[in-house]
Amino acid sequence: MPTQQQRTAYDEAMVYMRTAAQRLAMPPEYQQLIANTYRELRVQIAIRRDDGSLFETFGYRVQHNGARGPYKGGIRYHPAVNIDEIRALASLMTWKNALVDIPFGGAKGGITVDTHQLSKRELQSLTRAFMRKIDMALGPHRDIPAPDMYTNAEVMGWMMDEYGRRHGHTPAVVTGKPLDLGGSLGRTEATGRGVSFVTQWASADYGVKLRGGTVVIQGFGNVGSYAAEFLQQGGALIIAVSDERGGVYNAEGLDIPKLRQHHQAHGTVVGFAGGTPVEGEKLLLIPCDILMPAALGDVITEANVKKLDTHMVIEAANHPVTPAAAAILWQRDIRVIPDILANAGGVIVSYFEWTQNLQQFYWKEHDVNNRLGEKLETAYRAIHEIAAREECSLREAAYMIALQRVYDAVRLRGI
Ligand code: GLU
């Protein structure tokens, strides 16, 4: 076993799977088979910039496990994207999709790029070049990408179009598309809506104050901003929010619709008149009832976990808490709602979008939202029950359910 320092993001992601495998007494040979990824693509991407210069970078698509169905997971555009991180995130998608019981395996992709440095035209040509190099591994019954950090419906529209040029019009090859191109009502807000649902159930079950309680959110992108809005509508006080440039604080609660307007106009929450500035790093240490990391991974670590002053952590981001920090939170009796449940709303509605595309029949928004709630609640109740019975964390319970399902599918397929 590598030491803490040598461990890669992928090793860290596997810690929970291994614990669950032991609890389930899974044969070691299957543990290794399930831990390993099925296929990893790394492709070179080169485009001409607007000024005529050459821009070169790399893109990735990792398919982790496809026993339960086509590979499924987002594509992120971020400077920190590398094969190890994408591999870790692909495995999280396998567990997430199995946990909420949607018929998909797990995948993730990305391009190492800072989107702030590119024009719209450059972004589109980068996206098309990437799609041309990975399209042979994709398809509605093979692998279905979706948005993730710094990608959105517009990028998915370009991907669908580029795929269609070679394979014919195929809306079900990507989800999170614009409505006019076969997207689903409710998809944009789905992750944030799901986060707010699980926050409500878990706060009620574990005696954490939500109505009139205080919430601190790191990240004001697609996930954090909608989670803030829904939680505020439910009576919570969102006292601090940050993004990559800094944060804002207001002890009385920030006005989220106004903050959203400010964010749309300036591209950041920094400078918002309805609060005082707070440094991004310090945001996590603000005393609150509920702490919600909704941006990057590995932000709650051994270095800061003992200083957190909160009653509950909701993992709206993927792997925001390191395994070592999670163990300390458990000792401190601070409940953690794991990422594979907390942020599963996005991929659940991606599943609904894919179904609608395949059937060419579109649902009303309230049907989408109700079914999202049902899927998430079933998963949450199952985890809650196992955690109580086994006296383990909600994450350990979630991995037990997910891994059992993946194992069953792998075994039934035979070798
Ligand atoms: N990127 C999202 C996630 O991490 C959504 C993936 C999807 O819809 O396929 O869950």
Side-chain angles (χ1 to χ4, degrees):
M1 198 66 184
T3 64
Q4 198 71 38
Q5 274 71 29
Q6 294 165 324
R7 268 197 202 158
T8 63
Y10 180 69
D11 294 331
E12 294 267 296
M14 284 302 136
V15 167
Y16 303 120
M17 186 213 122
R18 302 229 183 259
T19 316
Q22 272 157 22
R23 280 182 182 266
L24 296 169
M26 182 178 295
E29 56 178 18
Y30 272 99
Q31 281 184 43
Q32 203 47 47
L33 196 68
I34 294 173
N36 287 336
T37 54
Y38 169 68
R39 173 154 49 186
E40 303 188 345
L41 299 179
R42 189 202 74 150
V43 295
Q44 183 185 43
I45 310 172
I47 59 159
R48 283 280 166 211
R49 298 206 61 165
D50 294 341
D51 65 4
S53 65
L54 188 70
F55 175 76
E56 186 211 6
T57 186
F58 292 92
Y60 306 88
R61 184 70 177 170
V62 173
Q63 298 171 342
H64 174 250
N65 184 290
R68 290 177 39 86
Y71 298 94
K72 182 92 193 79
I75 298 223
R76 62 171 59 180
Y77 290 176
H78 194 271
V81 162
N82 60 56
I83 187 70
D84 178 59
E85 174 69 4
I86 295 296
R87 200 180 272 149
L89 292 165
S91 72
L92 282 183
M93 290 308 303
T94 299
W95 317 129
K96 192 185 298 183
N97 296 339
L99 173 67
V100 296
D101 205 10
I102 56 178
F104 293 128
K108 201 79 169 198
I111 301 179
T112 314
V113 66
D114 180 356
T115 53
H116 302 300
Q117 308 296 324
L118 298 184
S119 70
K120 197 66 160 286
R121 192 203 64 81
E122 291 167 344
L123 201 63
Q124 182 173 164
S125 84
L126 188 80
T127 302
R128 290 184 182 276
F130 180 47
M131 185 45 118
R132 285 194 296 275
K133 304 210 169 167
I134 63 167
D135 74 324
M136 77 296 243
L138 305 180
H141 300 288
R142 188 166 277 180
D143 184 351
I144 307 131
D148 198 79
M149 289 178 73
Y150 297 101
T151 55
N152 56 19
E154 190 173 29
V155 173
M156 296 306 116
W158 299 330
M159 288 197 163
M160 182 199 83
D161 184 73
E162 193 60 36
Y163 186 88
R165 289 183 186 199
R166 291 193 191 182
H167 303 271
H169 181 56
T170 317
V173 72
V174 281
T175 58
K177 298 179 293 294
L179 281 182
D180 291 329
L181 295 179
S184 174
L185 291 166
R187 174 64 184 85
T188 307
E189 309 84 351
T191 313
R193 178 170 276 120
V195 167
S196 79
F197 284 159
V198 295
T199 306
Q200 285 165 36
W201 302 322
S203 59
D205 282 343
Y206 295 106
V208 174
K209 187 171 168 190
L210 184 60
R211 183 167 283 276
T214 53
V215 181
V216 168
I217 305 181
Q218 182 188 52
F220 202 64
N222 178 261
V223 182
S225 65
Y226 283 112
E229 201 167 300
F230 294 132
L231 288 171
Q232 182 163 72
Q233 284 164 9
L237 298 176
I238 316 297
I239 58 166
V241 166
S242 71
D243 59 32
E244 57 196 343
R245 292 206 235 156
V248 280
Y249 172 79
N250 184 335
E252 310 295 314
L254 296 156
D255 182 329
I256 299 300
K258 286 213 177 108
L259 182 59
R260 186 188 280 285
Q261 277 169 14
H262 175 92
H263 187 265
Q264 264 157 13
H266 302 93
T268 176
V269 297
V270 173
F272 179 57
T276 52
V278 49
E279 273 178 50
E281 277 285 290
K282 298 212 175 106
L283 179 112
L284 295 171
L285 311 181
I286 295 173
C288 58
D289 293 303
I290 294 169
L291 180 61
M292 184 177 291
L296 278 170
D298 298 334
V299 292
I300 298 177
T301 66
E302 277 171 293
N304 63 7
V305 64
K306 295 204 173 106
K307 292 186 257 170
L308 301 190
D309 190 348
T310 190
H311 300 300
M312 184 175 260
V313 175
I314 313 279
E315 294 188 337
N318 285 315
H319 74 78
V321 179
T322 65
I328 296 170
L329 289 171
W330 174 252
Q331 282 158 17
R332 290 188 59 195
D333 219 12
I334 299 174
R335 293 281 164 180
V336 178
I337 311 305
D339 46 9
I340 59 172
L341 175 76
N343 68 32
V347 73
I348 291 174
V349 176
S350 275
Y351 164 48
F352 298 158
E353 180 175 332
W354 177 79
T355 321
Q356 293 172 75
N357 292 154
L358 293 179
Q359 297 180 345
Q360 305 270 5
F361 179 78
Y362 288 83
W363 307 356
K364 295 200 175 75
E365 185 165 1
H366 73 258
D367 290 331
V368 171
N369 294 343
N370 288 345
R371 287 183 178 173
L372 162 64
E374 277 166 26
K375 273 258 169 240
L376 264 183
E377 187 160 11
T378 306
Y380 170 73
R381 297 281 162 224
I383 296 174
H384 182 255
E385 195 188 304
I386 291 184
R389 191 181 70 217
E390 302 275 320
E391 294 179 6
C392 66
S393 69
L394 292 164
R395 191 190 321 271
E396 283 177 293
Y399 271 76
M400 283 172 71
I401 296 172
L403 185 59
Q404 183 69 56
R405 289 190 178 145
V406 174
Y407 174 51
D408 289 343
V410 168
R411 206 165 28 89
L412 285 167
R413 278 172 180 265
I415 301 289

